[in-house]
Amino acid sequence: MRTYFLLFLFFLSLSFSAQNLSENQKLESLCRIWGFLKYYHPYVAKGNTDWDQQFFQKINQLENVHNKTELNKLYSVWIKGLGKVSPCKECSIQHGKIYFLKNFDLSWIDNSDIFTEDISQKLHYIENNRNISDSHYFGRNEGKIFFRNEKSYSSNFTSQSIVLLELFRYWNYVEYFFPYKYETDQNWNSVLTEMIPKFLAVTDDETYHLTLAELVTKTDDSHAYLSSKLISHFLYGSKKVPVEYSYAEGKLVVTKINSNRFNEKIRLNIGDIIYDIEGKTISQMVNGFGKYIPASNSWGKIFKVKNAFLLSNKDSVSIKIERNGQNMEITTKTYLKKDIISEKAPVPEKWKFIDDSKQTGYVNMGVLEKNDIDEMYSNLKSAKSIIFDLRNYPRQTIRPLSTLFLPQTTVYYQFTLPETNYPGKFYSKQNSIGRKNTEYYKGNVIVLVDESTQSQAETTVMMFKQHPKAKIIGSNTSGANGDVISFKIAGLSTRFSGLGAYYPDGRETQRIGIIPDILVKPSLEGLKSGKDEVLERALEHIKNNN
């Protein structure tokens, strides 16, 4: 009998302990419910209550909550106090859309470790009778979401409550409106679990900004960034070695020496190969920056940080170089940017023939304007091949170009757009381009790409790929496509991709980039010699295939 009694007490204690909740569990549940009600509850979504103040009240009330029963009682009273939710007949109507559901996840509602069945039922009722009219907190412009009516708080650390509010706000932005949430390296649910203690540990401005940057980086999106002078100063520095360089094979090649207003000579030469800065290899520096620099992939991360390698807060830096086959270590002075004299690069030609026989045209897509296209085409249409250099950012020229270079209207990619009537869901829409044109350009279309080919540039490549004789040459593109949503978090400018972009057959480009038909990456030797190896490979391809 005594044994059974002890077993009963043991299982009773297990049951009791299972009801107790950690601080993280309580805060995670508040983040989810606060975000869900903000976008789903008809009364809240219309902006009829100060939702930030509701958050601050609940944060204070959570201090007196210790177990599941008390937590669910708090939520029950809260939901009831928001007013009755009327049945919504339209919420169940299907509109013939093809839904993309990889991002949609309300399974947390049924987590019985946190929520009682009563609360789960209340939340599902709100889901099924959700707000489907205009939201106070977001709108749509040409398919893209924009956030509105959000109070901007100081970028300075002021209180733990505001720090948590900014975390919860950003986490829910991604949860319901980021089209590539399903592709992040770290599951977005576990991001919340990890970041709550980090935000609770914030005590000063610098840590606040760095923790926000770490959060933004977890989107794994090259469109994303956090604009912060504190972070720039902490990560990079305000002084610079006055040289320009290119990246290849994990090293830097000095390509230009800039003068300074003190007329001081620095110890680097054009052609020097830099492989170590202040005791760190270039790869180690990328990894060090990487925690705070969002990018879709490794090559995107290198592209975003490569201009920072020779920045420092120190008056000089120690650099290991290879010069004329010999390794040496030098110390070179750094300068404030205002003290560096950099000659303006000449404005590149928008288009030209690249050979004397005028059989190969070249177009710099970074400077070609819409109103240039007819003249450009008139000049180059007699060429057997035209090279379009997209190692830059084009200027909204994709549609007029498609009418000249594609034989017919064609689907060149599909979007996934956020469903405003059901936050978290996206729907697919195919995009066509071009027109029926028997007089389209029938020569070779060569497109040059690399990691700087991003967003609109990648979409333009996808258009050119529809040409019957297209060839993509270079290295993988950025892997960040689909326009952007720009907004503020903690008073700091930030953004992430706003639309999902895919090949017509549904294959992904985000994080992967567009894979070239012919892979070519710059080499150290090529950079030292001043060669454009990608362009050279394109000319070789044209020569061998004409």
Side-chain angles (χ1 to χ4, degrees):
M1 186 70 177
R2 184 172 180 275
T3 301
Y4 287 117
F5 180 69
L6 290 174
L7 285 172
F8 171 75
L9 289 177
F10 173 72
F11 285 114
L12 182 64
S13 67
L14 284 179
S15 176
F16 177 76
S17 64
Q19 300 292 313
N20 291 334
L21 299 173
S22 68
E23 189 72 13
N24 237 48
Q25 286 176 308
K26 293 187 297 179
L27 290 172
E28 281 186 59
S29 71
L30 176 61
C31 176
R32 295 179 186 282
I33 286 190
W34 181 77
F36 173 82
L37 294 175
K38 180 178 182 178
Y39 299 124
Y40 275 75
H41 195 289
Y43 181 83
V44 179
K46 289 181 174 64
N48 292 326
T49 184
D50 188 330
W51 204 234
D52 287 2
Q53 285 303 314
Q54 290 277 325
F55 166 82
F56 295 133
Q57 291 173 13
K58 295 301 170 285
I59 280 286
N60 291 332
Q61 292 169 0
L62 276 184
E63 293 181 7
N64 299 317
V65 168
H66 305 289
N67 56 52
K68 176 181 172 181
T69 301
E70 293 171 351
L71 183 70
N72 282 267
K73 182 178 179 181
L74 172 67
Y75 291 152
S76 181
V77 172
W78 188 19
I79 293 169
K80 184 177 181 181
L82 294 174
K84 184 179 179 180
V85 177
S86 301
C88 172
K89 293 182 180 179
E90 286 187 57
C91 288
S92 60
I93 296 175
Q94 299 291 326
H95 296 281
K97 294 177 179 176
I98 301 173
Y99 279 106
F100 180 90
L101 299 177
K102 289 184 178 181
N103 286 308
F104 185 69
D105 181 15
L106 294 178
S107 61
W108 58 268
I109 291 176
D110 298 308
N111 183 353
S112 59
D113 290 337
I114 305 296
F115 302 114
T116 62
E117 186 175 345
D118 176 62
I119 290 296
S120 296
Q121 288 176 352
K122 281 181 168 64
L123 295 174
H124 278 304
Y125 178 80
I126 293 169
E127 176 194 359
N128 295 327
N129 299 279
R130 64 197 170 274
N131 178 65
I132 58 171
S133 59
D134 285 346
S135 172
H136 179 72
Y137 295 105
F138 65 85
R140 186 200 289 276
N141 182 20
E142 296 182 352
K144 186 177 65 173
I145 289 293
F146 61 91
F147 302 125
R148 59 189 178 190
N149 298 317
E150 298 281 18
K151 184 175 180 180
S152 181
Y153 295 91
S154 171
S155 61
N156 299 327
F157 172 72
T158 53
S159 73
Q160 202 172 66
S161 295
I162 288 179
V163 166
L164 283 176
L165 172 66
E166 298 290 11
L167 164 62
F168 288 9
R169 182 167 16 208
Y170 186 89
W171 190 88
N172 280 291
Y173 281 164
V174 174
E175 174 74 358
Y176 292 106
F177 301 108
F178 180 48
Y180 301 118
K181 184 187 74 173
Y182 72 100
E183 282 203 317
T184 55
D185 283 345
Q186 185 177 351
N187 182 279
W188 197 241
N189 295 316
S190 71
V191 168
L192 181 61
T193 304
E194 177 190 344
M195 295 308 295
I196 285 175
K198 292 185 176 184
F199 274 81
L200 286 173
V202 169
T203 56
D204 55 56
D205 297 350
E206 185 178 284
T207 308
Y208 190 19
H209 286 214
L210 289 171
T211 308
L212 283 165
E214 185 177 352
L215 173 66
V216 172
T217 298
K218 290 183 182 293
T219 60
D220 296 317
D221 179 24
S222 287
H223 271 147
Y225 71 88
L226 185 74
S227 179
S228 163
K229 291 182 179 178
L230 266 179
I231 292 176
S232 296
H233 180 78
F234 175 82
L235 281 185
Y236 309 132
S238 55
K239 296 182 176 182
K240 186 179 187 296
V241 178
V243 301
E244 295 176 22
Y245 52 84
S246 294
Y247 173 91
E249 302 176 33
K251 299 175 183 178
L252 311 178
V253 178
V254 177
T255 57
K256 184 182 178 184
I257 308 292
N258 292 318
S259 56
N260 59 81
R261 71 183 186 90
F262 307 107
N263 293 317
E264 295 174 340
K265 183 175 175 61
I266 69 162
R267 300 185 62 195
L268 286 168
N269 296 335
I270 292 175
D272 284 348
I273 297 174
I274 300 171
Y275 60 88
D276 184 288
I277 302 171
E278 291 288 292
K280 293 182 179 179
T281 66
I282 306 304
S283 296
Q284 287 172 332
M285 294 184 74
V286 173
N287 291 335
F289 296 147
K291 183 178 180 180
Y292 305 106
I293 305 298
S296 299
N297 43 52
S298 59
W299 53 92
K301 193 151 295 210
I302 291 168
F303 177 70
K304 290 184 79 170
V305 304
K306 72 177 185 180
N307 290 330
F309 289 128
L310 291 177
L311 290 173
S312 176
N313 286 316
K314 299 166 66 174
D315 293 332
S316 62
V317 293
S318 174
I319 300 175
K320 292 180 181 178
I321 65 172
E322 178 188 322
R323 178 184 294 169
N324 299 325
Q326 293 187 337
N327 294 331
M328 61 181 71
E329 184 170 356
I330 64 170
T331 299
T332 186
K333 191 174 178 181
T334 61
Y335 299 84
L336 293 172
K337 293 178 183 178
K338 67 182 181 65
D339 294 327
I340 298 173
I341 302 170
S342 180
E343 296 178 6
K344 286 187 177 181
V347 178
E349 291 181 87
K350 294 181 178 181
W351 68 85
K352 60 185 178 181
F353 285 103
I354 211 165
D355 59 342
D356 294 335
S357 62
K358 296 187 176 182
Q359 295 300 302
T360 303
Y362 171 89
V363 181
N364 186 322
M365 292 292 288
V367 292
L368 184 76
E369 304 279 359
K370 280 184 181 180
N371 57 11
D372 296 323
I373 290 176
D374 287 342
E375 184 182 354
M376 177 275 295
Y377 188 64
S378 177
N379 288 168
L380 299 185
K381 65 181 180 181
S382 61
K384 291 183 178 179
S385 303
I386 301 179
I387 298 171
F388 292 91
D389 196 338
L390 267 161
R391 296 171 294 178
N392 46 46
Y393 198 80
R395 304 188 175 209
Q396 303 289 339
T397 50
I398 182 171
R399 290 200 172 275
L401 283 170
S402 73
T403 64
L404 298 172
F405 284 86
L406 300 186
Q408 59 192 12
T409 300
T410 183
V411 174
Y412 71 116
Y413 70 92
Q414 60 175 299
F415 271 148
T416 57
L417 295 87
E419 176 57 271
T420 55
N421 294 336
Y422 214 139
K425 288 188 176 182
F426 288 72
Y427 63 92
S428 298
K429 180 182 178 181
Q430 290 189 329
N431 279 62
S432 298
I433 206 162
R435 62 186 172 94
K436 186 172 180 60
N437 179 17
T438 57
E439 300 302 315
Y440 76 96
Y441 178 74
K442 298 180 177 63
N444 298 309
V445 170
I446 311 298
V447 184
L448 310 184
V449 298
D450 64 10
E451 67 278 359
S452 68
T453 308
Q454 179 172 308
S455 196
Q456 184 191 147
E458 292 177 290
T459 305
T460 305
V461 177
M462 293 167 79
M463 179 275 290
F464 278 128
K465 280 180 71 70
Q466 305 307 312
H467 187 276
K469 298 176 73 175
K471 191 68 69 174
I472 315 301
I473 298 176
S475 52
N476 284 38
T477 62
S478 170
N481 205 347
D483 218 327
V484 295
I485 302 175
S486 298
F487 54 99
K488 287 185 181 295
I489 195 75
L492 302 172
S493 295
T494 187
R495 69 183 189 183
F496 54 63
S497 295
L499 305 172
Y502 302 81
Y503 285 110
D505 61 5
R507 285 179 297 129
E508 296 168 332
T509 62
Q510 180 75 5
R511 306 209 62 191
I512 302 168
I514 295 170
I515 301 171
D517 301 307
I518 300 174
L519 181 64
V520 184
K521 294 183 179 182
S523 68
L524 288 172
E525 287 304 314
L527 290 174
K528 284 178 64 177
S529 304
K531 294 180 178 179
D532 185 341
E533 292 167 287
V534 177
L535 177 58
E536 287 184 0
R537 183 64 181 85
L539 294 173
E540 180 186 335
H541 170 78
I542 291 169
K543 179 180 178 181
N544 294 334
N545 287 273
N546 272 342

